[in-house]
Amino acid sequence: MRKIILFLCFMFSCSLAFSQLKKKEKLSKKQLSEYKIDYSNKMELLNLKHSADYFFDNNVNVYKYNELKSKGVDLIQVDKSTERTYKSAILFSNTQIKGTVVKRVYLDDKDSFFRTEISIKVDKSYYGTNLKKGEIIKLKLQSGKIGDDFLKVSNEPDLFLGESVILYLTSTDSEKFKKSLEGINEFNKNYKLKGNKDLNIIYSKKNSKVSNSFVLYKKYTVKNNIVFNKNKRKIGSLDEVENNIELISKINRL
Amino acid sequence: MKRKLIIFSVAFIAIATLCSYVLFPYTMKLRTGTGYIDFEITGAIGVPTSFSNYNDYGPVLYNTLIKGGGGDILGDNNLPKFNVTYNTSAPTSVIGNNRNECGVGYNSDPDAIMFTHNLFNGSYIYESDIVVNTNFHSISSTGGTYDTNVGSNEYDRVTASRHEIGHVQGLDHSLSNSFLMYETISRGNRKTYDGDYKAGLNCIYYDSCAPYTGTGDITIETKAQKSNSDLRQLSWKISNNNSILGFNIYFSNKELNTESTYNNQLIKTEIDSSNEYKFTVINNSSNTYFLEIVYESGLRTYKNF
């Protein structure tokens, strides 16, 4: 009898093995492969057929489809369009904070991939890297001054001194960002970049081991306790937006 | 005296420095040239033209050279047309995914990415590069050619290219997703040059920023209209709740603040908690009034009274 119960427990645990989001780094190669199949099946079941790899790479919790939908994150819409609301964008960022723009420095370096460094004073950390109130982080932008010229990259928002902002970020210390450097280097091989320097070398020279630096995914402006998107559209009161960010982050990582 | 002079100098330098930082972004208007330009696109978009020297400021994989001089860009027949071809031997860049889709643009697809670098000198764009990775050619989620429409499950590379050409011409993003210059794209959706696009070009190249209706998400809903040629009070509501940020209000070409004067008459402007705007003209004359809301992006919504 005891053996039967143990066997049933084992079977039950096996069936639940991939019924929730997994930490991929803790899985063996085989487990990872099985997990990916299970994840793809779940995507198919939910008719999310276009973005399987994209969702998988970003650890989007498709197992919480209904819960996310009830909080205003419709994965079907995410699958269909490049439009990201402040709620759905949470799934693709690993750090969310509220802060104030306190300083802007133009790096003025032709060889640098980033041309502007913006200092943000953290007012509140919602999720992600363990940042404390009052801490200063560095935000890297591609847009910026080059000599007397100014390079504007069309998909980067402007940040203004004194602006109160909610930012969705990715740490430059993260694996995700390091992978992007590989891509950028690959990108540069086909271009006559002066000296054709390896950006890993350039970049690592300018940053300590723990860089406290981030790249930007989304920016929202806070004014009079109301939150606006890049298009200056009101997206909600600060309280409402903060609650949703914390709630959706929590659902997605469970 | 000397101490005062030093304090004054330090304060002056500090304020001037601060102002230069604060104001600098606003001088970076997306404008280029005056009058006419002619498009000459060297090489189809997507074909690398590296090792030419007109971009010293890489990293950019593909270049598109826009030359100036001649041709009315606002004529339908002269709008830029191009074929989208792709060089599949170029490496598949992963920046679209891994630079964390910096904000917005046609870069949110997991694999395909397209965006524009504009290099300004003062308020002039003197070089533009459209960055596009080879996934726009090869992955199943993208499709469409100039002559063939996009599939229902694909992102349209022609629309994305047209959008980026808009940036090259100096346009910024539009606020409504019905327009080509909106920042994102949906599967199966092809957009072409529209009124919003042309209004932007008119504003940039002809300095003719005439009001263009139907562009925005703001509508002016008046509660009281001009009556008996004697306007006393006018109220309006900003329908999208965008009451604080992103636009200025002009009354007969004069910017309205909380308290303004027009024809030497005091105009009081009030804003209540439900985004209701109201102004009262005291002892006004019977002028024709022109109420206009101007977005930071330059688009306008207006109403005559």
Side-chain angles (χ1 to χ4, degrees), chain A residues 54 142 149 155 188 191 233, chain B residues 55 59-60 99 102 126 175:
Chain A
Y54 181 45
Q142 258 191 281
D149 304 326
N155 56 6
N188 284 342
Y191 192 73
R233 286 193 180 126
Chain B
N55 187 319
V60 176
R99 67 198 289 263
C102 286
Y126 69 88
L175 299 177

Side-chain angles (χ1 to χ4, degrees), chain B residues 99-114:
Chain B
R99 67 198 289 263
N100 304 298
E101 306 148 87
C102 286
V104 288
Y106 290 92
N107 64 342
S108 295
D109 189 67
D111 302 303
I113 180 169
M114 198 179 288

Side-chain angles (χ1 to χ4, degrees), chain A residues 54 79-80 82-83 104 115 142 149-150 152 154-155 176 180 188 190-191 216-217 230 232-233, chain B residues 21 55 58-60 98-104 116 118 120-121 126 175 182 185 187 217 242 296:
Chain A
Y54 181 45
D79 187 44
K80 278 184 182 169
T82 64
E83 180 100 57
R104 178 176 55 226
R115 296 176 183 87
Q142 258 191 281
D149 304 326
F150 189 92
K152 172 73 184 163
S154 65
N155 56 6
K176 194 173 181 180
S180 80
N188 284 342
N190 285 268
Y191 192 73
L216 181 61
Y217 174 39
K230 178 178 170 282
K232 323 299 195 278
R233 286 193 180 126
Chain B
Y21 275 117
N55 187 319
V60 176
N98 293 295
R99 67 198 289 263
N100 304 298
E101 306 148 87
C102 286
V104 288
T116 302
N118 274 340
F120 289 84
N121 189 280
Y126 69 88
L175 299 177
Y182 191 63
I185 190 171
R187 292 181 195 275
D217 52 358
N242 189 344
E296 282 182 0

